[in-house]
Amino acid sequence: MKRKEKVLLGTKKKRRRDVAPPSSRALRSVINPVHVVYPNPILTHPKLVIIFFHGIVSKKDIAKAWKETWTSTTHINGEEPTFWIKEWLVEDMGENIQILSLSYDTNIYGVNGDVTDIGKNLVQSLVVNRSYENLWCAPIVLVGHSFGGLIIKSLVVEIQRYMNQKTSNDIESAMNARSKDFYDNLTEVIFYGAPHEGGTKTFSMYFVEICQEVGLLNKTHSITQQSFLQNVQVLDQKMEQLSVDFDQTKENLNIYAFVEGQPINQNEEILVSPASAQRLSRNNYYKIEDANHLTICKPPTRDHISYSKLVDCLKICLKNPRQLPSLPSWQVSLEEKAKDTHKLLQKVSIIGLVGMGGIGKTTLSKKIYHLFHEQYDKFSFLEDVKSKTIEDLKKQLLQDLCGRKKYCGEIINGDDLKCIEETMISKKVLVVIDDVDEKLINDLSKVLTFQGKNRKSNVIMTCRNWGILEDHLDPNGKFEMPYLNKKQATKLFILHAFQNTKQVEKGFEKIVEEIVEACAGLPLSLEVMGGLKTTRFIMGRK
């Protein structure tokens, strides 16, 4: 960025009369920033919450931007545009979803300086507001068009800061808890034409014309116009830092981007370049070839890519927002075992992976979960259950299978258990329960009462002793974990000892053979021996 540009983008001590007031002041004119699109009154336990953020609009359009931004383009046959976030989404996503749309002032002059102010305002009016606290128990998706995407980034960054603040009383503690609930359940962000790296020069000129039309910019004041162009053409250091801060928030946050493919006016540039729109995408991005910056969020029909791909992204959240359990970097014959085990799940509803400690039961269950979880409607991985209470496990199942909050302070009652059972019966569900012991097996069997009622759902339990499981599982569901054969054991050992090398280095064949033989095909022993400093010293890997 040039020095002159930095000066123009800096905070001005004196505000010129021909420049509109900052948006933080204009926020006072937005009496109710939250519009409940569907349903009203709001749900107590929705399965998904979707919140829409509009982009830049002129001052006269603020009151209706929350709705008109999300309407379809006018049909050829002359039909009125459809408010698609209500009319289409409810039908395609199911009735048990909550849809909100937000209002705020996006005064163009204030964009570079006041996006953070809008984010702070929305934390107060939306996130920590008691009116909406029951919504933050379900997966949350934020959808933003144009500069609404920047407001989303500001909101997420501000929430993270807010929930880490020290509290001095019960009210502040409750507000802090609501912000944490929101942040923990934030699952997905979808950007439509968001200018993460600024817009093109055409983008700047387009909004100059809009401001001139509505009287927000003096057509004859060239200095003001030049200053304005600089403000919307490039992002200053503050906005660049916002992108960096947002990218460092939630590691497992799904982020999708929609990219415009056409200019607004013929023979001109598109307003937001693909590089700018795609910058923060962690998942897929979709180029909408027949849409410009204004129509990218206005699908003409339900089968249009700008709508159908949005629905695909939203449906991912309905399965499970939780992060997949971690797998070791080096794996030997794990995928083959996982496929063999999964074949057994086609014959029995619940299987038990049994074997001594360190033989790889947990690792195999994680691999099965990674490979096959997308074949199920709902899924949950209950890790290291011996260290948790049955109430903790029930709460996690309620969150993963029924969309309930993980730590809601409620007593798990019969209705909650019925919700788990009905989901296991009506949906195709995968549950993995790792390291079951005799203290929990009786309680777990009472929770998982779907056997014989639904062959599509499956449960995998890992346990050291089959005797603990045999009274609760079909005898055909026993899977005895095999030891590694000599070839597999040698491969796993050298991966750890020689750091991802496939062959034993010359001169070490004999000692490798002796160590592998002593480990007797036990994966944990091979991993530990391969990672010991002594072993690495002997192998010449200091």
Side-chain angles (χ1 to χ4, degrees):
M1 189 182 295
K2 297 179 182 179
R3 181 176 180 83
K4 184 178 179 181
E5 292 174 341
K6 289 184 178 181
V7 173
L8 289 167
L9 292 168
T11 303
K12 302 174 181 61
K13 293 183 178 179
K14 295 183 179 180
R15 178 166 53 87
R16 292 188 293 269
R17 292 181 181 178
D18 52 353
V19 177
S23 57
S24 57
R25 294 186 179 89
L27 278 170
R28 298 169 187 169
S29 65
V30 182
I31 299 174
N32 180 19
V34 182
H35 301 272
V36 181
V37 176
Y38 178 89
N40 196 358
I42 62 174
L43 299 174
T44 303
H45 291 295
K47 64 181 181 181
L48 183 67
V49 178
I50 314 169
I51 308 174
F52 289 86
F53 296 69
H54 66 77
I56 289 179
V57 293
S58 63
K59 190 172 183 179
K60 67 177 184 178
D61 292 331
I62 292 175
K64 53 186 178 180
W66 68 272
K67 183 175 183 179
E68 292 193 355
T69 298
W70 311 107
T71 57
S72 64
T73 52
T74 304
H75 295 176
I76 297 176
N77 59 9
E79 293 180 7
E80 289 295 319
T82 301
F83 187 33
W84 62 263
I85 69 173
K86 179 178 181 180
E87 304 301 329
W88 296 351
L89 272 186
V90 174
E91 289 185 12
D92 292 333
M93 299 299 298
E95 295 184 352
N96 194 28
I97 63 172
Q98 186 72 57
I99 304 174
L100 306 175
S101 188
L102 304 183
S103 282
Y104 37 78
D105 185 1
T106 52
N107 181 298
I108 305 174
Y109 297 101
V111 164
N112 281 328
D114 294 310
V115 169
T116 299
D117 291 341
I118 297 175
K120 290 178 179 178
N121 177 273
L122 290 177
V123 170
Q124 296 294 328
S125 59
L126 173 70
V127 178
V128 301
N129 190 326
R130 287 191 62 185
S131 300
Y132 311 108
E133 64 179 336
N134 288 332
L135 298 180
W136 314 147
C137 62
I140 301 168
V141 181
L142 309 181
V143 185
H145 171 240
S146 187
F147 272 92
L150 305 190
I151 295 170
I152 286 177
K153 292 190 293 186
S154 174
L155 175 64
V156 175
V157 171
E158 290 301 322
I159 290 171
Q160 187 182 51
R161 291 173 180 166
Y162 189 93
M163 69 184 190
N164 292 327
Q165 291 179 351
K166 293 183 179 179
T167 58
S168 57
N169 54 56
D170 292 342
I171 295 177
E172 290 182 355
S173 296
M175 294 170 71
N176 182 283
R178 288 194 285 273
S179 65
K180 188 177 187 305
D181 287 339
F182 187 102
Y183 188 85
D184 288 345
N185 285 290
L186 177 59
T187 305
E188 194 169 281
V189 172
I190 300 171
F191 294 115
Y192 278 93
H196 301 297
E197 295 180 353
T200 61
K201 185 177 180 180
T202 305
F203 179 90
S204 307
M205 292 301 300
Y206 174 77
F207 285 109
V208 165
E209 293 173 3
I210 289 180
C211 285
Q212 290 174 341
E213 288 176 3
V214 298
L216 292 178
L217 188 64
N218 190 333
K219 293 184 179 181
T220 61
H221 204 306
S222 60
I223 296 178
T224 301
Q225 290 187 29
Q226 180 62 28
S227 175
F228 173 82
L229 286 174
Q230 297 292 352
N231 271 285
V232 295
Q233 182 179 354
V234 291
L235 296 174
D236 64 4
Q237 293 180 357
K238 183 177 181 180
M239 296 311 301
E240 171 62 22
Q241 188 60 47
L242 177 60
S243 288
V244 173
D245 291 343
F246 173 80
D247 199 35
Q248 294 175 349
T249 50
K250 295 194 69 172
E251 292 183 358
N252 61 335
L253 183 64
N254 292 327
I255 304 175
Y256 299 88
F258 287 79
V259 182
E260 60 210 66
Q262 291 187 352
I264 290 180
N265 298 314
Q266 194 174 6
N267 301 322
E268 291 187 351
E269 297 176 294
I270 61 174
L271 297 195
V272 178
S273 70
S276 182
Q278 297 168 19
R279 175 177 172 181
L280 294 175
S281 175
R282 298 176 183 171
N283 303 79
N284 293 334
Y285 64 86
Y286 308 99
K287 188 173 184 180
I288 315 302
E289 297 288 355
D290 60 348
N292 59 41
H293 188 70
L294 299 184
T295 62
I296 191 172
C297 57
K298 292 180 172 293
T301 60
R302 293 170 82 151
D303 59 357
H304 192 266
I305 184 174
S306 61
Y307 175 76
S308 62
K309 290 299 181 183
L310 171 73
V311 173
D312 290 343
C313 296
L314 293 175
K315 285 184 176 179
I316 292 173
C317 300
L318 292 181
K319 289 188 174 182
N320 194 326
R322 297 178 62 81
Q323 194 171 17
L324 294 176
S326 60
L327 279 168
S329 302
W330 297 317
Q331 304 166 23
V332 174
S333 69
L334 203 55
E335 186 164 334
E336 294 83 350
K337 289 180 183 177
K339 290 179 179 179
D340 289 342
T341 311
H342 191 254
K343 289 179 182 178
L344 185 58
L345 286 173
Q346 313 310 308
K347 301 176 183 179
V348 292
S349 298
I350 304 180
I351 65 172
L353 304 183
V354 295
M356 69 178 295
I359 201 169
K361 303 182 297 296
T362 298
T363 303
L364 177 58
S365 68
K366 289 180 178 180
K367 187 67 175 180
I368 298 169
Y369 194 79
H370 272 256
L371 288 176
F372 302 108
H373 74 279
E374 290 187 349
Q375 297 181 12
Y376 295 83
D377 300 317
K378 300 279 186 176
F379 35 85
S380 179
F381 194 99
L382 307 179
E383 194 164 7
D384 189 23
V385 297
K386 284 198 298 187
S387 65
K388 301 170 184 175
T389 67
I390 188 63
E391 293 301 310
D392 291 334
L393 301 179
K394 290 176 183 176
K395 287 180 180 179
Q396 185 172 327
L397 286 172
L398 279 170
Q399 180 195 25
D400 294 346
L401 306 186
C402 306
R404 301 289 180 82
K405 192 188 303 184
K406 185 176 181 180
Y407 299 111
C408 53
E410 299 173 354
I411 298 174
I412 304 300
N413 54 39
D415 290 339
D416 294 322
L417 297 180
K418 187 176 181 181
C419 177
I420 295 173
E421 181 183 13
E422 289 179 348
T423 303
M424 296 285 290
I425 294 173
S426 62
K427 303 287 185 180
K428 185 179 181 181
V429 175
L430 174 64
V431 176
V432 177
I433 309 175
D434 178 46
D435 204 13
V436 177
D437 63 6
E438 49 192 342
K439 292 181 181 179
L440 285 175
I441 186 61
N442 289 326
D443 289 325
L444 286 170
S445 63
K446 293 175 184 177
V447 175
L448 307 173
T449 56
F450 72 99
Q451 290 188 82
K453 302 175 184 178
N454 184 2
R455 270 294 303 120
K456 294 182 179 179
S457 291
N458 294 123
V459 175
I460 300 171
M461 295 186 182
T462 72
C463 186
R464 294 192 179 190
N465 185 357
W466 173 252
I468 294 174
L469 304 177
E470 62 181 348
D471 291 338
H472 305 276
L473 274 62
D474 186 316
N476 294 319
K478 179 181 179 181
F479 186 92
E480 190 82 38
M481 286 292 298
Y483 291 91
L484 297 178
N485 60 36
K486 185 176 180 181
K487 183 178 179 180
Q488 295 168 341
T490 302
K491 183 177 180 181
L492 183 60
F493 175 76
I494 63 175
L495 283 171
H496 286 279
F498 294 105
Q499 297 295 292
N500 207 22
T501 310
K502 293 185 178 180
Q503 300 294 329
V504 180
E505 293 190 12
K506 192 174 181 180
F508 297 106
E509 295 87 352
K510 182 64 175 177
I511 190 170
V512 167
E513 184 177 350
E514 291 176 353
I515 294 175
V516 168
E517 185 177 352
C519 291
L522 194 65
L524 182 59
S525 298
L526 293 161
E527 178 183 341
V528 172
M529 288 299 296
L532 287 175
K533 290 183 179 180
T534 305
T535 304
R536 291 172 60 79
F537 181 83
I538 295 173
M539 298 296 177
R541 297 280 174 173
K542 301 178 183 180

